[in-house]
Amino acid sequence: MTQSDGDLSGIRVLDLAAEPGFFAGKVLGDLGADVVKVEPPEGDRARRRGPFWGGVVDAERSLLWLALNTSKRGMTLALDRPRGRELFLALAERADVVLETEAPGSLAARGLGWETLHARNRRAILCSITPFGQTGPRAAWRGSDLTVVATSGNLYATGDPDRAPVRCSLPVSYYHGGLEAAVGVLFALLARDQSGEGQHVDVSLQAAMVMPSIGTAAMFRMTGQRGSRVGAFMHAGRTIQREIWPCRDGFVSFALRGGPARVPGLIAMVAYMDEHGMASARLKAIDWKSYNHNLLTQEDVDFLTREFGAFFATKTTAELYRAACERSLMLAPVNTPREITGSPQLAARGFFVDVENPGRGTLRYPGAFAVTHGARVAIRRPAPRLGEHTAEVLHAHGLAAADVERLRAEGVV
Amino acid sequence: MTPLFEGMRILEFGGGAAGPIATRYFADHGATVIRVESRRRPDFLRILRLTPTTPGGVDGSAHFAVLNPNKLSIALDLSRPEGVALARRLAIAADAVAENFAPGAMARWGLDYESLVRERPDLVMISTCLNGQTGPDRAYPGFGGQGSALAGFNHLTGWPDREPVGPFGTITDSLSPRFAALLLAAALLHRRRTGAGQHIDLAQVEAGIVCLSESLLTYTANGEILTRMGNRSRHAVPHGVFRCADEDGRDRWAAIAVHDDEDWRRLAGALGRPAWTLEPVLATVDGRRRHEDEIEARLTEWTATRTAADVAAHLQAAGLDAAPVEDFGDLHDDPQLAHRRHFRTVEHDVLGTHPVETHAIRFSAMEPRIERPAPRLGADTDVVLRELLGIEAAELDRLRAAGVLE
């Protein structure tokens, strides 16, 4: 694992976040911040959640925990006890950022809210990630990935027309919201250089899920389009066009829409089909110079769909993607982790990294989320074991070994 | 209060969604974001829905307009050396450069990092594309739909007995601008401390895969491939989206997530403790999983006669996680988004008054500001070249006559 400094080297983060905030802390850690995960003595809930590595139910083998808590150190602290709260505030006095995902008002009710934090450390930034935000008519609502995606417009427009709206089976709002929170932390750090003061950064997962519809929400006032579910298709122009196509052994993503930028891919695809004797005279006769997907009739679309669909049915995803890379077909396979881990492109970029998890072995991870000179973005350490760095963090804070032992005996850490 | 990025200039090449959404974060906090555009090859979103009858032509794209407020546009012909020279001078004078062309395009113009850094040693530049700037498939051309498929999102979205779908909106196009904004901000912070710039290579597919680390690890650790499971959860039962009473001829739904056994008791109470909810087998998540179809059918009987708003309000009052499914129109009446002033209004020459979104962050001492609509193509060429590069009116006329300024 690389040990080069990141852009956030020297920035100290106290990370109280549960699952919705795991990703925020991870990306800050990958950027070089010293992120200390603060868990209750019994450990974060995610540690008790499967799937478990090797199927062994163990707090140190939860794959969700291991996946999204890399680049963090870890300590335990009982925030429901006065001594634990006192210790937390003492640690926060030296922190740059506190990250949390509790219900609005919950930290404040325990004397750990923004006002207290700001009074103890004028430079500290508190970043709160909640389903709907810190204030407002729904601030007190419970929420999770399903319900915040439900209130974003995105869920309604995803899925098949004859069934309920459907979400992605992993919580994309936590990735979107985590990134939004990390951007908020960075902006607050930049602002602190000017003002000398930290801020409370309030991220709403619901609001974070509006942008992923790429402007469709704002466009409603101009288009009147409320969204509708068309399965593996998309509305385009006056028609409904296929986006995800079955092929011999799976599915590929390919589209007729996309404006002039798509046309070279369509021309290349017809040429490729023709080499296999599968481009009809009518398909080859299309004048691509005047092609505009917005002006197609549904009959045009159905014709193109039959032609392309019949060809894809004869090819595997691997064959089609190889051809797409060589011929610029603008087509991609619907990948699973099997294809992703076998990708020559990702291998050439050294994307995957093997992370040693002490006492459990090595696990292959997706590595840096971006490439910079000197590998400034990197997984810096494995996800922490429960309380792994408690003593280390408290010693650095000036507590003697005997103090730490006493705290342990009292159940504070 | 002075906006955070007042006086900062970001030069933006490229288009579509992934690049332009990233620079909005900075523009909405005071940065001057200058889009280098071309009339011969306009931004993808300016022409995606263009037909010969579109009012305003390339200036009449609603999609471009909602993603690009608060920015300036200059129109240069980069096939001419003088056009490239102007872009180069602007890049060197800028605080950061963002581009999302296919790999190699910037190098062909001599506008790549290696060329620019010779004259601007502390340059901060981000390049983003699907597969990244290196590797055998770097030149692979594709759109967000292809990025989502490659990164593994499509496989995880939809019903287990049906073909994969969405998620709506080509998700790598929305994740990558958030990564890009984060990386740019971190690079600016680093340069402020050390004086050192950097080039950032953000591959949208890779960044998407990092988000799905849980799925990747489940495969590399256990050989298991997580797949789409409708709205069900591996941890919570019931966990779904239930049909409610239609309103105005529209299908309405409520999302309900019962996270643990305590939630289940709350749900039973909220439903008035009908006999079926009191079955001992349903008291634990494992028992409920064995009867999930039946629970979903029973819940649908209850929701079907109520409005989605009533279902959500009633269940939230009982301490449960539930919400109405809102469509894109509903968002404009959503009380919580209104409270956060998520949508702001701008006045556009062609499109009239229209809303734009803000980011999802609210700061205790800063406020995102939307001060101008998306620019017409090339609307700010003269003012940018005059004010930033000191080019006089006569020279601007000559450049325009020569076709360098489009």
Coordinates of all heavy atoms in Angstrom, one line a residue, chain A residues 55-117:
Chain A
G55 N -18.2 -16.3 4.9 CA -19.5 -16.8 5.5 C -19.4 -16.9 7.0 O -20.3 -17.4 7.7
V56 N -18.2 -16.4 7.6 CA -18.0 -16.5 9.0 C -18.6 -15.3 9.7 O -18.2 -14.2 9.5 CB -16.5 -16.6 9.4 CG1 -16.3 -16.7 10.9 CG2 -15.9 -17.8 8.6
V57 N -19.7 -15.5 10.5 CA -20.3 -14.3 11.2 C -19.4 -13.8 12.3 O -19.2 -14.5 13.3 CB -21.7 -14.8 11.8 CG1 -22.3 -13.6 12.5 CG2 -22.6 -15.3 10.7
D58 N -18.8 -12.6 12.0 CA -17.8 -12.1 12.9 C -17.7 -10.6 12.7 O -17.8 -10.1 11.5 CB -16.4 -12.8 12.5 CG -15.3 -12.3 13.4 OD1 -15.1 -11.1 13.5 OD2 -14.5 -13.2 13.8
A59 N -17.6 -9.8 13.8 CA -17.6 -8.4 13.7 C -16.5 -7.8 12.8 O -16.5 -6.7 12.3 CB -17.5 -7.8 15.1
E60 N -15.4 -8.6 12.6 CA -14.3 -8.2 11.8 C -14.4 -8.7 10.4 O -13.4 -8.6 9.6 CB -13.0 -8.6 12.5 CG -12.8 -8.2 13.9 CD -12.9 -6.7 14.1 OE1 -12.8 -5.9 13.1 OE2 -12.9 -6.3 15.3
R61 N -15.5 -9.3 10.0 CA -15.6 -9.9 8.7 C -16.8 -9.4 7.8 O -17.1 -10.0 6.8 CB -15.6 -11.4 8.8 CG -14.3 -12.0 9.5 CD -14.4 -13.5 9.6 NE -14.0 -14.1 8.3 CZ -12.7 -14.5 8.0 NH1 -11.8 -14.3 8.9 NH2 -12.5 -15.1 6.9
S62 N -17.5 -8.4 8.3 CA -18.6 -7.9 7.6 C -18.0 -7.2 6.3 O -17.2 -6.3 6.4 CB -19.4 -6.8 8.4 OG -20.0 -6.0 7.5
L63 N -18.5 -7.6 5.2 CA -17.9 -7.1 3.9 C -18.4 -5.6 3.7 O -17.6 -4.8 3.1 CB -18.3 -8.0 2.7 CG -17.5 -9.3 2.8 CD1 -18.2 -10.3 1.8 CD2 -16.0 -9.1 2.5
L64 N -19.5 -5.2 4.1 CA -19.9 -3.8 4.1 C -19.0 -3.0 4.9 O -18.5 -1.9 4.4 CB -21.4 -3.7 4.6 CG -21.8 -2.2 4.9 CD1 -21.8 -1.4 3.6 CD2 -23.2 -2.2 5.5
W65 N -18.7 -3.4 6.1 CA -17.8 -2.7 7.0 C -16.4 -2.6 6.3 O -15.8 -1.6 6.2 CB -17.7 -3.4 8.3 CG -16.7 -2.7 9.2 CD1 -15.4 -3.0 9.4 CD2 -16.9 -1.5 10.0 NE1 -14.7 -2.1 10.2 CE2 -15.6 -1.2 10.6 CE3 -18.0 -0.7 10.2 CZ2 -15.4 -0.1 11.4 CZ3 -17.8 0.4 11.0 CH2 -16.5 0.7 11.6
L66 N -15.9 -3.8 5.9 CA -14.5 -3.8 5.3 C -14.4 -3.0 4.0 O -13.4 -2.4 3.8 CB -14.1 -5.3 5.0 CG -14.0 -6.2 6.2 CD1 -13.7 -7.6 5.8 CD2 -12.8 -5.7 7.1
A67 N -15.5 -2.9 3.3 CA -15.5 -2.2 2.0 C -15.4 -0.7 2.1 O -14.7 -0.1 1.4 CB -16.7 -2.6 1.2
L68 N -16.2 -0.2 3.1 CA -16.3 1.3 3.1 C -15.7 2.0 4.2 O -15.9 3.2 4.4 CB -17.8 1.6 3.0 CG -18.5 1.2 1.7 CD1 -20.0 1.7 1.6 CD2 -17.8 1.7 0.4
N69 N -14.9 1.3 5.0 CA -14.2 2.0 6.1 C -12.7 1.9 6.0 O -12.0 2.1 7.0 CB -14.7 1.4 7.4 CG -16.1 1.8 7.7 OD1 -16.3 3.0 8.0 ND2 -17.0 0.9 7.6
T70 N -12.2 1.7 4.8 CA -10.8 1.7 4.5 C -10.3 3.1 4.7 O -11.0 4.1 4.7 CB -10.4 1.2 3.1 OG1 -11.4 1.9 2.2 CG2 -10.6 -0.3 3.0
S71 N -8.9 3.2 4.9 CA -8.3 4.5 5.1 C -8.8 5.2 6.4 O -8.7 6.5 6.5 CB -8.5 5.5 3.9 OG -8.0 4.9 2.8
K72 N -9.3 4.5 7.4 CA -9.7 5.0 8.6 C -9.0 4.3 9.8 O -8.8 3.1 9.7 CB -11.2 4.9 8.8 CG -12.0 5.5 7.7 CD -13.5 5.3 7.9 CE -14.3 5.7 6.7 NZ -15.8 5.5 6.8
R73 N -8.7 5.0 10.8 CA -8.3 4.3 12.1 C -9.6 4.1 12.9 O -10.7 4.7 12.5 CB -7.3 5.1 12.9 CG -6.0 5.3 12.2 CD -4.9 5.8 13.1 NE -5.1 7.2 13.4 CZ -4.6 7.8 14.5 NH1 -3.9 7.1 15.4 NH2 -4.8 9.1 14.7
G74 N -9.6 3.4 14.0 CA -10.8 3.1 14.7 C -10.6 3.1 16.2 O -9.6 2.6 16.7
M75 N -11.6 3.7 16.9 CA -11.6 3.7 18.4 C -13.0 3.5 18.8 O -14.0 3.7 18.1 CB -11.0 4.9 19.0 CG -11.9 6.2 18.8 SD -11.2 7.7 19.6 CE -11.3 7.2 21.3
T76 N -13.1 3.0 20.1 CA -14.5 3.0 20.7 C -14.6 4.1 21.7 O -13.6 4.5 22.3 CB -14.7 1.6 21.3 OG1 -13.7 1.4 22.3 CG2 -14.7 0.5 20.3
L77 N -15.8 4.5 21.9 CA -16.1 5.5 22.9 C -17.6 5.5 23.2 O -18.4 5.5 22.3 CB -15.7 6.9 22.3 CG -15.6 8.1 23.2 CD1 -14.6 7.8 24.4 CD2 -15.0 9.3 22.5
A78 N -17.9 5.4 24.5 CA -19.4 5.4 24.9 C -19.9 6.8 25.0 O -19.7 7.5 26.0 CB -19.5 4.6 26.2
L79 N -20.6 7.3 24.0 CA -21.1 8.7 24.0 C -22.3 8.8 24.9 O -22.8 9.9 25.1 CB -21.4 9.1 22.6 CG -20.1 9.3 21.7 CD1 -20.5 9.8 20.3 CD2 -19.1 10.3 22.3
D80 N -22.8 7.6 25.3 CA -24.0 7.7 26.2 C -23.5 7.9 27.7 O -24.3 8.0 28.6 CB -24.9 6.5 26.1 CG -24.1 5.2 26.3 OD1 -22.9 5.2 26.5 OD2 -24.8 4.1 26.2
R81 N -22.2 8.0 27.9 CA -21.7 8.2 29.3 C -21.1 9.6 29.4 O -20.4 10.0 28.4 CB -20.7 7.2 29.7 CG -21.3 5.8 29.8 CD -20.2 4.8 29.9 NE -20.7 3.5 30.2 CZ -20.3 2.8 31.3 NH1 -19.4 3.3 32.1 NH2 -20.9 1.7 31.5
P82 N -21.2 10.3 30.5 CA -20.6 11.6 30.7 C -19.1 11.6 30.4 O -18.6 12.5 29.7 CB -20.9 12.0 32.1 CG -22.0 11.1 32.6 CD -21.9 9.8 31.7
R83 N -18.4 10.6 30.9 CA -16.9 10.6 30.6 C -16.6 10.4 29.1 O -15.7 11.0 28.6 CB -16.3 9.4 31.5 CG -14.8 9.3 31.4 CD -14.1 10.4 32.1 NE -12.6 10.3 31.9 CZ -11.9 11.2 31.2 NH1 -12.5 12.3 30.6 NH2 -10.6 11.0 31.0
G84 N -17.4 9.6 28.5 CA -17.3 9.4 27.0 C -17.5 10.7 26.3 O -16.7 11.1 25.3
R85 N -18.5 11.4 26.7 CA -18.8 12.7 26.0 C -17.7 13.7 26.2 O -17.3 14.4 25.3 CB -20.2 13.3 26.5 CG -21.4 12.4 26.0 CD -22.7 13.2 26.2 NE -23.1 13.3 27.6 CZ -23.8 12.3 28.2 NH1 -24.2 11.2 27.6 NH2 -24.2 12.5 29.5
E86 N -17.3 13.8 27.4 CA -16.2 14.7 27.8 C -14.9 14.4 27.0 O -14.3 15.3 26.4 CB -15.9 14.4 29.3 CG -15.1 15.5 30.0 CD -14.9 15.1 31.4 OE1 -16.0 14.8 32.1 OE2 -13.8 14.9 31.9
L87 N -14.6 13.1 26.9 CA -13.5 12.7 26.1 C -13.6 13.1 24.6 O -12.7 13.5 23.9 CB -13.3 11.2 26.3 CG -11.9 10.6 26.1 CD1 -10.9 11.4 27.0 CD2 -11.9 9.1 26.5
F88 N -14.8 12.9 24.1 CA -15.1 13.2 22.7 C -14.9 14.7 22.5 O -14.2 15.1 21.5 CB -16.5 12.8 22.3 CG -16.9 13.3 21.0 CD1 -16.5 12.6 19.8 CD2 -17.7 14.5 20.8 CE1 -16.8 13.1 18.6 CE2 -18.0 14.9 19.5 CZ -17.5 14.2 18.4
L89 N -15.4 15.5 23.4 CA -15.2 17.0 23.2 C -13.7 17.3 23.3 O -13.3 18.2 22.5 CB -16.1 17.7 24.2 CG -17.6 17.7 23.9 CD1 -18.3 18.4 25.0 CD2 -17.9 18.5 22.6
A90 N -13.0 16.7 24.1 CA -11.6 16.9 24.2 C -10.9 16.6 22.9 O -10.0 17.3 22.4 CB -11.0 16.2 25.4
L91 N -11.3 15.4 22.3 CA -10.7 15.1 21.1 C -11.1 16.0 20.0 O -10.3 16.4 19.1 CB -11.1 13.6 20.7 CG -10.6 12.5 21.5 CD1 -11.3 11.2 21.2 CD2 -9.1 12.3 21.3
A92 N -12.3 16.5 20.0 CA -12.8 17.4 19.0 C -12.1 18.8 19.1 O -12.1 19.5 18.1 CB -14.4 17.6 19.2
E93 N -11.6 19.1 20.2 CA -10.8 20.4 20.3 C -9.6 20.4 19.4 O -9.2 21.4 19.0 CB -10.4 20.6 21.8 CG -11.5 21.1 22.6 CD -11.1 21.3 24.1 OE1 -9.9 21.2 24.4 OE2 -12.0 21.6 24.9
R94 N -9.1 19.2 19.1 CA -8.0 19.1 18.2 C -8.4 18.6 16.8 O -7.5 18.4 16.0 CB -6.9 18.2 18.8 CG -6.3 18.6 20.0 CD -5.0 17.9 20.2 NE -4.7 17.8 21.6 CZ -3.7 17.0 22.1 NH1 -3.1 16.2 21.3 NH2 -3.5 17.0 23.4
A95 N -9.6 18.5 16.5 CA -10.1 17.9 15.2 C -10.4 19.1 14.3 O -10.7 20.2 14.7 CB -11.3 17.1 15.4
D96 N -10.2 18.8 13.0 CA -10.7 19.8 12.0 C -12.1 19.5 11.6 O -12.8 20.5 11.2 CB -9.8 19.7 10.7 CG -8.3 20.0 11.1 OD1 -8.0 21.2 11.2 OD2 -7.5 19.0 11.2
V97 N -12.5 18.3 11.6 CA -13.8 17.9 11.1 C -14.4 16.8 12.0 O -13.8 15.9 12.4 CB -13.7 17.3 9.6 CG1 -15.1 16.9 9.1 CG2 -13.0 18.3 8.7
V98 N -15.7 17.0 12.2 CA -16.5 15.9 12.9 C -17.6 15.5 11.9 O -18.3 16.4 11.3 CB -17.1 16.4 14.2 CG1 -18.1 15.3 14.7 CG2 -16.0 16.7 15.2
L99 N -17.7 14.2 11.6 CA -18.6 13.7 10.6 C -19.7 12.9 11.4 O -19.3 12.1 12.2 CB -17.9 12.8 9.7 CG -18.4 12.4 8.3 CD1 -18.7 13.6 7.5 CD2 -17.4 11.5 7.7
E100 N -21.0 13.1 11.1 CA -22.0 12.4 11.8 C -23.3 12.2 11.0 O -23.5 13.0 10.1 CB -22.3 13.1 13.1 CG -22.9 14.5 13.0 CD -24.4 14.5 13.2 OE1 -25.0 13.5 13.6 OE2 -25.0 15.6 12.9
T101 N -24.0 11.2 11.4 CA -25.2 10.8 10.6 C -26.5 10.6 11.6 O -27.4 9.9 11.2 CB -25.0 9.5 9.9 OG1 -24.6 8.5 10.8 CG2 -24.0 9.7 8.7
E102 N -26.4 11.2 12.8 CA -27.5 11.0 13.7 C -28.7 11.8 13.3 O -28.6 12.8 12.5 CB -27.1 11.3 15.1 CG -25.9 10.4 15.5 CD -25.8 10.2 17.0 OE1 -26.8 10.5 17.7 OE2 -24.7 9.8 17.4
A103 N -29.9 11.5 13.9 CA -31.1 12.3 13.6 C -30.8 13.7 14.0 O -30.1 14.0 15.0 CB -32.3 11.7 14.3
P104 N -31.4 14.7 13.3 CA -31.1 16.1 13.7 C -31.5 16.3 15.2 O -32.5 15.9 15.6 CB -32.1 16.9 12.8 CG -32.2 16.0 11.6 CD -32.2 14.6 12.1
G105 N -30.6 17.0 15.9 CA -30.9 17.3 17.3 C -30.4 16.2 18.2 O -30.3 16.5 19.4
S106 N -30.0 15.1 17.7 CA -29.7 14.0 18.6 C -28.3 14.2 19.3 O -28.2 14.0 20.5 CB -29.6 12.7 17.8 OG -28.9 11.7 18.5
L107 N -27.3 14.7 18.5 CA -26.1 15.1 19.2 C -26.2 16.2 20.2 O -25.7 16.2 21.3 CB -25.0 15.5 18.1 CG -24.3 14.4 17.3 CD1 -23.2 15.1 16.5 CD2 -23.6 13.5 18.3
A108 N -27.0 17.2 19.8 CA -27.2 18.4 20.6 C -27.9 18.0 21.9 O -27.5 18.5 23.0 CB -28.0 19.4 19.9
A109 N -28.8 17.0 21.9 CA -29.5 16.6 23.1 C -28.5 15.9 24.1 O -28.8 15.9 25.3 CB -30.6 15.5 22.7
R110 N -27.4 15.5 23.6 CA -26.4 14.9 24.5 C -25.2 15.9 24.7 O -24.2 15.5 25.2 CB -25.8 13.6 23.9 CG -26.8 12.5 23.9 CD -26.3 11.2 23.4 NE -26.3 11.2 21.9 CZ -25.6 10.4 21.1 NH1 -24.9 9.4 21.7 NH2 -25.7 10.4 19.8
G111 N -25.5 17.1 24.4 CA -24.4 18.1 24.7 C -23.3 18.1 23.7 O -22.2 18.5 24.0
L112 N -23.5 17.5 22.5 CA -22.4 17.4 21.6 C -22.7 18.1 20.2 O -22.1 17.8 19.2 CB -22.1 15.9 21.3 CG -21.8 15.0 22.5 CD1 -21.7 13.6 22.1 CD2 -20.5 15.5 23.2
G113 N -23.7 19.0 20.3 CA -24.2 19.6 19.0 C -23.3 20.7 18.5 O -22.2 20.9 19.1
W114 N -23.7 21.3 17.5 CA -22.9 22.4 16.8 C -22.5 23.5 17.7 O -21.3 23.9 17.7 CB -23.6 22.9 15.6 CG -23.0 24.1 15.0 CD1 -23.6 25.3 14.8 CD2 -21.7 24.3 14.4 NE1 -22.8 26.2 14.3 CE2 -21.6 25.6 14.0 CE3 -20.6 23.4 14.3 CZ2 -20.4 26.1 13.4 CZ3 -19.4 23.9 13.7 CH2 -19.3 25.2 13.3
E115 N -23.4 24.0 18.5 CA -23.1 25.1 19.4 C -22.0 24.8 20.4 O -21.0 25.5 20.5 CB -24.4 25.6 20.2 CG -25.3 26.5 19.4 CD -26.1 25.8 18.3 OE1 -26.3 24.6 18.4 OE2 -26.4 26.5 17.3
T116 N -22.1 23.6 21.0 CA -21.1 23.2 21.9 C -19.7 23.0 21.2 O -18.7 23.5 21.7 CB -21.5 21.8 22.6 OG1 -22.8 21.9 23.0 CG2 -20.6 21.5 23.7
L117 N -19.8 22.3 20.1 CA -18.6 22.0 19.4 C -17.9 23.3 19.0 O -16.7 23.5 19.1 CB -18.9 21.2 18.2 CG -17.7 20.6 17.4 CD1 -17.0 19.6 18.2 CD2 -18.2 20.0 16.1

